Amino acid sequence: MIASKWLTTGPKVREFERLFAEYVGAQHAIAVNSATAAMHLALEAAGIQADDEVIVPTFTFAATAEVVRYFDATPRLVDIDPDTFNIDSTEVERAITPQTKAIIPVHVAGQAADLDPILRLAQEHNLTVIEDAAHALPTTYKERMIGTIGDFTTYSFYATKTLATGEGGMITTNDEEWATRCRIMSLHGISKDAWKRYTSEGSWYYEITAPGFKYNLTDIAAAIGLVQLAKLEAMNERRQEIARRYDEAFGTHPALTIPYRAPYSSHPFHLYVLRLNLDALRIDRNAFIEHLRAFNVGTSVHWIPLHMHPYYQDKYGFKPDDFPVAHQLYHRIISLPIYSAMTDQDVDYVIDAVVHIADTHRV
Ligand SMILES: *Cc1c(COP(=O)(O)O)cnc(C)c1O
């Protein structure tokens, strides 16, 4: 790849796009430098304007709603399902107004949101569905691959994701016009890919058709992505094994609740989110995390719901219990270590630490 002399967007990116599209079964894949860029481009292609509303679950990462603010549009936050942590379609229906233009379901931890009711609402109200699939590679929903279902699907190849290129992202869509718009806007609104201009097939000529962005992926990242894509199934299998061992170890413990597995989705376990049964414990979630830290077990919380952050509280006047399911869930969750390079000994060590802490602090 270095030998090919292409460092920025070039043949490796095209190959990565082609193989990624093939892998998920989508008509088009456009590589970009982050999932945030991917969602921004999808909203742009969908024609989002200032004062439009886009429905977003409050239980997500910052990026899912900030991209809506880029347009001076309003992210209409909604609550989630308590079992799957995914967007609640009943709440989506209640949030639809004449200003609503799009819905961004997030496939939390990699498990698919229940898309059928959302697609039905989208069809009824003429809304664009952009799936935030930053965790959902690979995921199937009712035997169909995520990446082929909504109008757009966006992926992240950020360092911590299941396919990691350091920084990177992908948009998939089956609509050719949208794909073209995303591609053009990903590189300055220029109507021809820069790399084509410098090859014998192309010329020096180009046209700026819109004030676009600088969101292209590099060939270096795409080369890493190609290697990762080839390992994706093996890495997924390993995470399944780890999740099964965690489920077995924690499934019967009265202070712990293991992840719910929705019958309509596969679960790639990008995250393994353990819930504490706080009534059965004398310590809270934060203390539990501190105890795990004392065992040298690094964990995280995915996520602090958006409506509990200062920006959204100041801007929209939210109170913590405006979205009670997300708010209550937030106080119970711990994301345990899960990655394909984890050894069985690592997994046993985490299990022993969690069970020891839960046993020691039971009521
Ligand atoms: C990581 C993540 C993103 C952002 O991905 P980037 O590639 O870092 O922009 C968006 N949504 C969710 C749910 C994520 O976990």
Side-chain angles (χ1 to χ4, degrees), residues 34-36 39 60-61 63-64 106 132 134-135 156 158 161 168 303:
S34 73
T36 309
M39 288 189 286
T60 186
F61 182 58
T64 321
V106 180
D132 180 344
H135 297 181
S156 174
Y158 180 68
K161 303 293 156 81
W303 298 275

Side-chain angles (χ1 to χ4, degrees), residues 26 53 80 112 171 219 293:
E53 293 179 7
I80 51 166
I171 307 162
D219 256 28
R293 220 223 301 251

